[in-house]
Amino acid sequence: MSGKTAKLVIGSKEVELPIHSPTAGPDVIDIGQLYAKGDVFTYDPGYTSTASCDSTITFIDGEEGILLHRGYPIEQLSSKSHFLEVCYLLLYGGLPNVAELTDFETRVTRHTMLHEQMMNFFRGFRRDAHPMAVMTGVVGAMSAFYHDSIDVNDPWQREVASIRLIAKMPTIAAMAFKYNTGQPFVYPRNDLDYASNFLRMCFAVPAEDYEVNPILSRAMDRIFTLHADHEQNASTSTVRLASSSGANPFACIAAGIACLWGPAHGGANQACLEMLEEIGTVDKIPEFIERAKDKNDPFRLMGFGHRVYKNRDPRATVLKESADEVLELLGVENNSILQVAKKLEETALADEYFIEKKLFPNVDFYSGIILEAMGFPTSMFTPIFAVSRTIGWVSQWKEMITDPKMKIGRPRQLYIGETKRDYVDIGDR
Ligand code: SDX
């Protein structure tokens, strides 16, 4: 408690509300007692000015373009750490020592296989099912296969469910990809690191040996690290709200996957690459920039803009550098899509509309270019985002479930519908 308060004058009433001060970011006005004291609700569709919880996991400064995970800048983590170490950091709150990291990596590695019976579950889908539809269904179905880790009140079951979700998500995503291609599922291997295992499960075939390209596995690991967590974004808020009812973790993470799929959120990476392909050449850029500015045109520049960042998304900066590096190492540096993306960014950032509205490339603007160069179809871009964000969802879920202040989330509303009226028999209408 900061000791500071805010006074709200509502008609003849004056309501005094406590102010809480953070370790970083703006103060918050605690409105928990506002309805009881002032007989009013607050109103904030889209939660543009509303803090839904307190958290110690991730901090974003949108004005400065800063992203910290447990205090560590994303730029340092993406260059010096690796994804499973970042998973440990997000889940347990600090960087592990050698023994702690080895134990964590071993536990994750040993949970990467899926219950064999779940293969039948995959076979119920059409071959052309979007992998996000498959992931939403299969992860939700994990509640029916892993009964020994669904009691959210049992710390041990929470820990097992957390490890199972982190470990099995790449396997599920890779299986969804293989199912789309008609190729056989590839089992995980315990002698490969997380990113290499995922690449092998996606691209290996039984007919020949598969050697993981270290350039690709490093790029894959960095993409996983950059998408891991991001405060109370839409899908994380979905996981928190679903979990607040006490629902099991698999069902709640499935809800997060469903929300991430939307093109305004994690689905933007697929939509962005499809947009860049539609633009096709740099001479078409002005036409699309004008469409993005036209209020009568629903078209928006996918991969641009952000609710919080009003400066560069630091993840986009790292991904832009990584795109240059990976495409050059793969010998496709003259990739026309990358040239269109760079010219589009340059043109938009020089345009008054984007400057005035503080619209910059976000995490989804360059990620698809790298993923496509790595051999993934656009339909796999959001599943890869979901693989990475699982650690964020699980860490935020764990924080909420163990918070003594936790209660079921139940927003109120501004009712603008009909007031009470009597039923009219059909003969009298
Ligand atoms: C992610 O929350 C997170 O942290 C998400 C995420 C994470 O890691 O979890 O960072 C991942 O989802 C990144 C965002 C991916 N989405 C896209 O790239 C889709 C395109 N972007 C827009 O749909 C939009 O920018 C949002 C959804 C990202 C943010 O929308 P807001 O905060 O609700 O902003 P807004 O729609 O109110 O836009 C403000 C103004 C509007 O103009 P006015 O009505 O004020 O005149 O900016 C305009 C918008 O029309 N605008 C755009 C634009 N984004 C916003 N105009 C053209 N192109 C765009 N991309």
Side-chain angles (χ1 to χ4, degrees), residues 230 233-234 263-266 268 292 295 300-307 315 353-354 357 359 362-364 385 389:
H230 214 238
N233 58 85
H265 190 13
K295 281 283 159 255
R300 285 192 165 179
L301 282 191
M302 302 315 285
F304 249 79
H306 199 277
R307 171 63 57 77
R315 302 167 299 175
Y353 173 93
F354 292 88
K357 293 182 187 298
L359 301 172
N362 59 49
V363 69
D364 293 308
F385 195 149
R389 188 51 58 88

Side-chain angles (χ1 to χ4, degrees), residues 36-56:
K37 292 181 177 175
D39 199 29
V40 293
F41 297 145
T42 57
Y43 180 66
D44 185 13
Y47 311 111
T48 55
S49 304
T50 296
S52 61
C53 62
D54 47 54
S55 181
T56 62

